[in-house]
Amino acid sequence: MTAPPQPDAPVIVAARRSPIGTAGRSLATVEAADLAGPVLAAVAADVPGLAPREVVLGNCMGPGGDLARVAALTAGLPVEVTALTVDRQCASGLAAVELAVTGLRTGTGLVLAGGVESASTAPWRFWPPGRGEQPVRYHRAPFAPAASGDPDMGLAADLLAQERGVDRTRQDAYAARSHARAAGAMTAGGFDAELVPVAGVVRDERPRAGLTVQRLARLRPAFRPGGSVTAGNACGVNDGAAAVAVVDAASHRRLGLPGLRVLGTGTAGVDPRRPGIGLVPAVRLALDQAGVALADVDVVELNEAFAGQVLACCDELGLDPERVCPDGGALALGHPWGASGAVLVVRLFSRLVRQRRGELGLAAIAAGGGQGVAMVVQACR
């Protein structure tokens, strides 16, 4: 099936990311703005002849304030370039790209959009102390009111896998495949064109070529006794940044650059007690807006927060898991929360534009609090 023509849709004409580091390791001393700055500068340089007018950047756990503005100035962009920071938790990076696209359906120019997370340098936060009490540190913001249920993401993913019949064997096999694919792509140079060196770091830190199902089977449940989610079939805690350059249709015609035309987007809400399923209704909304079926999509990039969660979503969508993340996903590369949604779009750009491996692509991610964001794109060359 050919996607219905959308000649006036905005187009992504450049896409880059930093290497993804494990928290506390290769990028441990690099603050969020300094992670995003080089990536924004590289993406802007990839679009000669058109200056950006705005930066939209997702972030979850940064220092507060308008981090996008700090990152834009760190990138050396002119002071006239405005900036907006977005927080839709793990979906923040893709939500930022969606906002840029929405604005350019009626506006004009170039917008840089994406996300950044430095878990290593995220400031500590404390609840205000009560009378005579000491402050209490909290490790994450509330995702939902306590009365409606606000489980940690790992526990929620474990319960989702149990309820949807996704057993430990399937999860470990999926995780091992993600690492094998990512390690193979690294060896073949499949990530090289999208990477921007940061602080001397030039490659992703997490993928493990020899991570077998047998090794994963030895790991104990991480979130509840008798559970199926382990440190091996769950993502890591990571640092990284990703950004894309989005232009309106008229500017794209003038530039003549290859890119990804954004055919459809979707944002959906679900039960906050099972946030991982949130990408499913978002995918359906995006596909419907694009006028295509899931079977027509050539490259599928789902954020692999937990193998059990991804497999539950695949089962719900009727999607063969073999089609997901052909070069490995967040289980292998890592999950820098605010950046991960934008990383998915960078991966689509590399597969569909740089490597010309298909025409249609889908990116989707779930978020704490029970939300999902999805985007359907079409290569235009």
Side-chain angles (χ1 to χ4, degrees):
M1 176 179 176
T2 302
Q6 295 190 32
D8 294 327
V11 179
I12 296 165
V13 294
R16 299 288 203 104
R17 68 177 178 90
S18 74
I20 298 173
T22 298
R25 297 180 64 179
S26 63
L27 295 169
T29 62
V30 185
E31 296 181 2
D34 295 319
L35 265 177
V39 178
L40 291 172
V43 171
D46 285 342
V47 191
L50 189 59
R53 65 175 178 82
E54 186 164 43
V55 171
V56 186
L57 210 59
N59 179 256
C60 297
M61 294 293 289
D66 190 352
L67 176 59
R69 175 64 171 172
V70 182
L73 295 173
T74 299
L77 299 180
V79 295
E80 293 80 11
V81 178
T82 58
L84 172 68
T85 303
V86 176
D87 183 357
R88 204 186 287 276
Q89 289 300 291
C90 295
S92 299
L94 191 54
V97 179
E98 181 185 26
L99 280 174
V101 169
T102 300
L104 287 168
R105 289 191 185 278
T106 55
T108 60
L110 166 64
V111 177
L112 308 183
V116 61
E117 204 70 55
S118 173
S120 294
T121 66
W124 290 5
R125 292 171 168 83
F126 295 84
W127 294 114
R131 181 176 298 178
E133 298 175 350
Q134 294 296 314
V136 177
R137 183 185 174 195
Y138 67 92
H139 297 273
R140 67 163 175 86
F143 296 145
S148 64
D150 186 22
D152 287 339
M153 295 295 285
L155 176 59
D158 203 320
L159 293 171
L160 176 65
Q162 180 186 46
E163 292 165 1
R164 299 303 177 98
V166 181
D167 63 27
R168 170 74 180 271
T169 300
R170 284 185 72 194
Q171 294 176 55
D172 286 349
Y174 185 95
R177 183 169 71 235
S178 183
H179 278 271
R181 287 178 171 182
M186 287 178 66
T187 300
F191 302 139
D192 293 355
E194 68 194 38
L195 287 173
V196 178
V198 176
V201 180
V202 299
R203 58 182 290 162
D204 300 310
E205 184 175 11
R206 180 175 165 83
R208 298 290 181 267
L211 192 60
T212 64
V213 172
Q214 291 73 26
R215 291 178 62 187
L216 288 169
R218 302 188 194 116
L219 299 177
R220 295 180 178 179
F223 299 103
R224 65 186 181 105
S228 60
V229 178
T230 71
N233 60 38
C235 65
V237 178
N238 301 95
D239 307 322
V244 303
V246 190
V247 298
D248 64 284
S251 295
H252 176 247
R253 286 189 287 269
R254 288 196 302 272
L255 290 167
L257 295 172
L260 297 175
R261 181 172 286 111
V262 180
L263 301 183
T265 61
T267 299
V270 298
D271 186 342
R273 293 171 296 180
R274 299 294 181 268
I277 206 71
L279 67 83
V280 170
V283 165
R284 290 172 174 156
L285 288 170
L287 290 169
D288 184 63
Q289 187 181 104
V292 300
L294 185 55
D296 302 317
V297 175
D298 299 300
V299 182
V300 178
E301 292 285 341
L302 305 183
N303 186 59
E304 297 175 344
F306 304 90
Q309 171 249 336
V310 174
L311 290 166
C313 290
C314 288
D315 291 350
E316 182 77 12
L317 289 166
L319 171 65
D320 183 352
E322 288 282 349
R323 296 177 59 197
V324 177
C325 299
D327 289 328
L331 289 168
L333 295 171
H335 180 14
W337 307 307
S340 292
V343 171
L344 301 177
V345 183
V346 174
R347 296 271 55 251
L348 288 178
F349 193 92
S350 285
R351 296 284 299 190
L352 297 174
V353 179
R354 293 187 174 103
Q355 301 168 17
R356 303 172 72 91
R357 298 188 184 184
E359 179 188 2
L360 293 175
L362 167 68
I365 186 168
Q371 298 188 87
V373 180
M375 180 173 290
V376 176
V377 297
Q378 180 183 36
C380 48
R381 305 180 179 107

